[in-house]
Amino acid sequence: MHFERIIYLLLICICSGNALVDPILTAAVPEMSNNETSINESSGVETTTTLITTPSTVIPSTASSSTIPPSTSSPSTIMPSTITPTIIPSTPSSTITPSTSTPKPNPPHPSGTNWVVVDEETNITCIVVKLSATMIIPYQTINGNVENATMAIPSNATSNGTCNLGVLDDPNTQKISLQWMSGKNVIPNMLTFVFHKNMTSGNESSAEERVFLSDITVQLYLDSINFPNATGEYTYAERLNSNLHSVAVNNSYRCNSQESIALDVQELDSSATIHMAHLQMEAFRTSVNDKFSSAVDCPADKVVTSDIVPIAVGCALAALVVVVLVAYLIGRRRARQRGYQSV
């Protein structure tokens, strides 16, 4: 009896629970229950199955999970936005590195212009030089003989120097060096002129500052092209403590004629020779341009001009004599014609 009562109470509880669940589910989720019933009707299953499926409330959770894909797609849209600020614009900045190229070398000296030295502080062109030079340099060969090599200064040589030379920046000394390459050497050849300035002796009123060329040095590297079978790496020739090409300050020295200057070679007993022509040089300048001041011609050019003047005068006198003779002949012929007409 007791067992039958227990079973009867359990059935009542189950039936009362189902009766309570139906109105609650239908009130809370009316649309879902209708959808489930329609599906169940199409499948031919009894409506009681809806109560069993109602606890599977995973359906709304799956619906919510179904909304996750657009949320996952939304960050996918963020991905291109993160790609857009890529480093691609920063890579062109790497093109700036070629702009920091190696310093350009000194430009070659163009033909027909002047070699100069410019003071970096004042921008004054203190030295201007123009010349064509050829050097005859003796050197020793591997056989022990002494040969002579000829080398000309090319027009593409570069120039550098200083407007104040010496340890204490001597204001009375200036230097210019012409540099050029020859053969396969990586160190340039060099021809250097050193200028000095001093006061002439005499009273203060008559004394004047004069500029002269005091030192000439040549340093040449013995390449196999210009110095075949040479021993050693370089040769050095110089002429020091001279008083060459002296002119007053603010004047340039000019010599179109060829002049030869002997240089002492340190390694050998013989001497080298530098032949210079079309020379014009000026030091201790105070102008920023590279134009020469009034020129003082060398004695060789003065001799040439002294020969030209008499020749020009002689030619002018000869032309004058010819003109007078022609005029006389014409006048005499006209006189004869008048005499014939009167007769």
Side-chain angles (χ1 to χ4, degrees), residues 30 35 54 72 95 108 111 140 167 182 265 272 289 321:
N35 293 331
T54 52
T72 55
T95 57
S111 178
Q140 189 172 4
V167 179
S182 64
V265 180
N289 57 37
V321 170

Side-chain angles (χ1 to χ4, degrees), residues 182-229:
S182 64
K184 297 181 180 180
N185 294 325
V186 295
I187 302 177
N189 301 314
M190 187 179 301
L191 170 63
T192 302
F193 297 112
V194 179
F195 299 92
H196 280 285
K197 179 177 67 173
N198 62 2
M199 296 290 295
T200 59
S201 59
N203 298 328
E204 294 182 358
S205 59
S206 60
E208 64 176 354
E209 288 184 328
R210 297 191 67 85
V211 179
F212 59 93
L213 178 63
S214 62
D215 301 336
I216 302 175
T217 58
V218 177
Q219 183 174 346
L220 302 176
Y221 285 84
L222 305 179
D223 61 274
S224 59
I225 298 175
N226 296 292
F227 301 90
N229 300 324

Side-chain angles (χ1 to χ4, degrees), residues 136-138 235-238 263-272:
I136 299 176
I137 308 295
T235 184
Y236 190 82
E238 63 184 4
L263 306 175
D264 297 328
V265 180
Q266 292 182 350
E267 297 83 3
L268 303 174
D269 294 335
S270 58
S271 60

Side-chain angles (χ1 to χ4, degrees), residues 121-138:
E121 296 180 357
T122 61
N123 201 29
I124 292 176
T125 306
C126 60
I127 303 176
V128 182
V129 172
K130 179 179 68 175
L131 83 159
S132 60
T134 303
M135 295 169 289
I136 299 176
I137 308 295

Side-chain angles (χ1 to χ4, degrees), residues 79 91 111 115 256 311 337:
M79 293 300 292
T91 53
S111 178
W115 286 292
N256 292 319
I311 293 173
Q337 290 178 354

Side-chain angles (χ1 to χ4, degrees), residues 144-189:
N145 300 325
V146 177
E147 302 289 342
N148 289 327
T150 302
M151 178 178 288
I153 298 178
S155 60
N156 62 350
T158 59
S159 63
N160 57 29
T162 178
C163 297
N164 295 316
L165 183 64
V167 179
L168 300 178
D169 290 339
D170 184 7
N172 295 323
T173 305
Q174 294 181 350
K175 179 183 74 172
I176 183 172
S177 297
L178 309 183
Q179 299 178 357
W180 70 97
M181 307 297 294
S182 64
K184 297 181 180 180
N185 294 325
V186 295
I187 302 177
N189 301 314

Side-chain angles (χ1 to χ4, degrees), residues 15-339:
C15 292
S16 62
N18 291 332
L20 292 172
V21 169
D22 287 335
I24 293 170
L25 291 175
T26 53
V29 191
E31 296 177 356
M32 292 178 59
S33 62
N34 293 330
N35 293 331
E36 289 176 356
T37 54
S38 63
I39 293 169
N40 292 328
E41 289 176 357
S42 62
S43 60
V45 182
E46 294 180 357
T47 58
T48 57
T49 58
T50 58
L51 299 175
I52 297 169
T53 57
T54 52
S56 63
T57 57
V58 181
I59 296 169
S61 65
T62 54
S64 63
S65 63
S66 63
T67 58
I68 294 172
S71 65
T72 55
S73 63
S74 60
S76 64
T77 57
I78 299 171
M79 293 300 292
S81 64
T82 56
I83 296 171
T84 52
T86 52
I87 311 172
I88 296 171
S90 65
T91 53
S93 63
S94 61
T95 57
I96 301 172
T97 53
S99 63
T100 58
S101 58
T102 56
K104 297 181 179 180
N106 292 332
H109 179 71
S111 178
T113 58
N114 305 326
W115 286 292
V116 298
V117 175
V118 179
D119 191 349
E120 295 180 355
E121 296 180 357
T122 61
N123 201 29
I124 292 176
T125 306
C126 60
I127 303 176
V128 182
V129 172
K130 179 179 68 175
L131 83 159
S132 60
T134 303
M135 295 169 289
I136 299 176
I137 308 295
Y139 68 98
Q140 189 172 4
T141 62
I142 56 177
N143 298 326
N145 300 325
V146 177
E147 302 289 342
N148 289 327
T150 302
M151 178 178 288
I153 298 178
S155 60
N156 62 350
T158 59
S159 63
N160 57 29
T162 178
C163 297
N164 295 316
L165 183 64
V167 179
L168 300 178
D169 290 339
D170 184 7
N172 295 323
T173 305
Q174 294 181 350
K175 179 183 74 172
I176 183 172
S177 297
L178 309 183
Q179 299 178 357
W180 70 97
M181 307 297 294
S182 64
K184 297 181 180 180
N185 294 325
V186 295
I187 302 177
N189 301 314
M190 187 179 301
L191 170 63
T192 302
F193 297 112
V194 179
F195 299 92
H196 280 285
K197 179 177 67 173
N198 62 2
M199 296 290 295
T200 59
S201 59
N203 298 328
E204 294 182 358
S205 59
S206 60
E208 64 176 354
E209 288 184 328
R210 297 191 67 85
V211 179
F212 59 93
L213 178 63
S214 62
D215 301 336
I216 302 175
T217 58
V218 177
Q219 183 174 346
L220 302 176
Y221 285 84
L222 305 179
D223 61 274
S224 59
I225 298 175
N226 296 292
F227 301 90
N229 300 324
T231 58
E233 296 181 357
Y234 65 92
T235 184
Y236 190 82
E238 63 184 4
R239 178 166 178 170
L240 305 178
N241 301 323
S242 301
N243 191 355
L244 303 174
H245 308 162
S246 178
V247 293
V249 177
N250 298 326
N251 286 273
S252 63
Y253 176 85
R254 182 176 60 188
C255 190
N256 292 319
S257 302
Q258 179 174 313
E259 58 178 342
S260 302
I261 299 175
L263 306 175
D264 297 328
V265 180
Q266 292 182 350
E267 297 83 3
L268 303 174
D269 294 335
S270 58
S271 60
T273 304
I274 179 171
H275 302 285
M276 297 184 295
H278 306 288
L279 171 66
Q280 191 169 4
M281 55 177 56
E282 182 181 0
F284 297 95
R285 303 175 71 255
T286 58
S287 178
V288 295
N289 57 37
D290 61 347
K291 296 181 180 179
F292 289 101
S293 302
S294 58
V296 177
D297 293 322
C298 63
D301 287 352
K302 292 179 180 178
V303 171
V304 173
T305 54
S306 62
D307 293 338
I308 293 176
V309 171
I311 293 173
V313 173
C315 293
L317 291 175
L320 181 61
V321 170
V322 171
V323 171
V324 172
L325 182 60
V326 171
Y328 170 75
L329 294 175
I330 294 174
R332 187 176 179 181
R333 175 178 290 183
R334 289 181 179 179
R336 287 182 180 179
Q337 290 178 354
R338 291 176 182 175

